[in-house]
Amino acid sequence: MSISLERLRRCSIAVDLGASRTRVYLKRTGVIVDEPTVAAVNTRTGAVIAVGTFAERMTGRTPAHIRVVRPVAGGTVVDIAMAQRMLRLLLGNRLRRAWRRKPLPSAAVCVPHDADPLAQRAAMETLAGLGAKRVELVDTLITAAVGCGLPVERPEATMIVVCGAATTQVAVLSLGSIVAAERVPVGGETVDHAVVQHLRNEHALMLPSQAVRPLHLVLGDAALASLGTEVHGRDVATGLARSVTVDVEGVRNAIRTPLTGVLDAISAVLRRCPPDLVADLADRGIMLAGGSAVLPGLDTLLREATGVPVNIADNPGLCAVEGLGTMLEGKVQPHVLSSAIT
């Protein structure tokens, strides 16, 4: 999809509706919302009783009449009405105060690369339901690259890998456009599932859904990893609570298997790029962005497999929305080619 920087400058709000977290950037203010994309609904009354962090804490702990839902899956809005209700509660009075003088502004939203027309329409209708008179769609790969500080507008190759909760997107950019890109169904949720399956197969232990992410911190700490770690869960056979000491190296090997899908996507993108751009990447390397960019072992795996430098953005989860906000603020200028004088 083409991007008009002039139209983006007319927008006053930028939204990144991710499968894991929702982030909102308000023009001349900054990021005003950074919350999990979760809502808790009372099925008896249909009322939304919680959104964001509080709703996420309810996962797996609710009675039968309370259902925890995720209106976004794989970067695509799957429940427009619920996404609108969630956004309205997350924004609260902040949006009404900001739009008091301009009640029908334009908005911009990040969409995954090669999103189908239905996914694009769902994103547009979600923002239109909040009062936006016009909705601009921008590829997440470009916004994340801008948010990382990469010189995407220059005639030089930059490679960005956006690791989300459900998918990972890989692209090589030059002159403000995508030269080649791939999207694979591998993300943080895939890695979490691999960890849960490993503990079930090796230790007959069912791990609670919210106990997987703390294990990532142990995997990323070399000192803690060498000592092993104790994990609490439910015994598969008896159903009783049980604790086991997990071999961290075994868990790390289980994680590496799904991460090879990201490596395959990088190889596919490089094969479709001109040799000159591939040569640029030997020095520039690969930039990791997205909430799952800090997955333990991902940067090391890519560095060893590709032989090029791999860097993680300072705030990988905020790169997409901050990059889109930078476009809204007019801080990104297209590269102007001067005409030759003869």
Side-chain angles (χ1 to χ4, degrees):
M1 62 191 68
S2 59
I3 302 174
S4 172
L5 292 177
E6 187 60 36
R7 289 209 305 262
L8 284 178
R9 293 190 189 102
R10 300 194 191 108
C11 298
S12 60
I13 191 170
V15 179
D16 178 18
L17 278 171
S20 176
R21 299 186 73 86
T22 293
R23 299 173 175 96
V24 180
Y25 182 102
L26 187 63
K27 197 172 185 179
R28 291 183 291 273
T29 302
V31 178
I32 60 174
V33 172
D34 183 7
E35 293 279 347
T37 311
V38 186
V41 183
N42 188 327
T43 57
R44 295 173 180 171
T45 63
V48 177
I49 60 177
V51 294
T53 303
F54 188 41
E56 187 179 48
R57 291 172 55 191
M58 295 182 181
T59 304
R61 296 183 169 91
T62 60
H65 68 282
I66 296 178
R67 186 165 58 98
V68 177
V69 298
R70 294 181 178 271
V72 180
T76 301
V77 180
V78 294
D79 189 337
I80 297 174
M82 185 57 63
Q84 290 174 349
R85 297 171 70 183
M86 181 194 70
L87 275 173
R88 196 171 287 113
L89 290 172
L90 287 175
L91 291 166
N93 294 327
R94 287 173 290 189
L95 187 64
R96 285 191 287 272
R97 287 197 300 267
W99 289 359
R100 187 173 299 162
R101 297 181 181 178
K102 192 176 182 181
L104 292 174
S106 298
V109 60
C110 301
V111 293
H113 178 69
D114 283 343
D116 57 72
L118 288 177
Q120 296 181 23
R121 184 173 182 84
M124 295 177 67
E125 290 185 3
T126 300
L127 272 296
L130 296 180
K133 65 178 181 181
R134 184 181 179 89
V135 180
E136 302 290 344
L137 304 179
V138 189
D139 199 306
T140 302
L141 289 166
I142 295 179
T143 61
V146 173
C148 292
L150 298 177
V152 296
E153 73 282 358
R154 300 188 59 82
E156 302 166 355
T158 54
M159 174 169 271
I160 182 78
V161 178
V162 181
C163 309
T167 61
T168 295
Q169 304 174 69
V170 183
V172 171
L173 301 95
S174 180
L175 284 173
S177 299
I178 296 174
V179 178
E182 280 284 330
R183 181 161 57 133
V184 292
V186 177
E189 294 175 354
T190 310
V191 172
D192 291 349
H193 180 70
V195 173
V196 171
Q197 284 298 114
H198 172 77
L199 294 177
R200 185 185 181 98
N201 296 335
E202 296 296 325
H203 302 279
L205 190 74
M206 293 184 66
L207 198 65
S209 58
Q210 299 195 23
V212 180
R213 291 306 171 93
L215 188 58
H216 290 178
L217 301 177
V218 178
L219 293 172
D221 192 317
L224 294 176
S226 61
L227 300 174
T229 183
E230 190 176 28
V231 176
H232 309 280
R234 189 179 72 183
D235 189 276
V236 174
T238 65
L240 300 176
R242 185 163 64 91
S243 300
V244 297
T245 301
V246 176
D247 178 18
V248 176
E249 191 59 33
V251 178
R252 187 176 284 120
N253 291 333
I255 288 177
R256 291 175 72 93
T257 301
L259 291 182
T260 55
V262 179
L263 182 59
D264 293 339
I266 292 176
S267 301
V269 168
L270 292 178
R271 283 195 298 268
R272 299 206 305 268
C273 286
D276 292 340
L277 292 181
V278 176
D280 290 344
L281 298 176
D283 295 328
R284 294 181 176 274
I286 302 171
M287 179 66 73
L288 298 182
S292 299
V294 294
L295 285 172
L298 177 59
D299 55 339
T300 303
L301 174 67
L302 299 183
R303 191 178 298 112
E304 293 174 351
T306 61
V308 301
V310 177
N311 303 302
I312 302 177
D314 293 336
N315 295 303
L318 295 175
C319 285
V321 71
E322 288 185 343
L324 189 53
T326 301
M327 295 180 181
L328 265 60
E329 303 284 2
K331 298 178 181 178
V332 177
Q333 299 295 331
H335 184 70
V336 180
L337 301 177
S338 58
S339 58
I341 300 177
T342 56

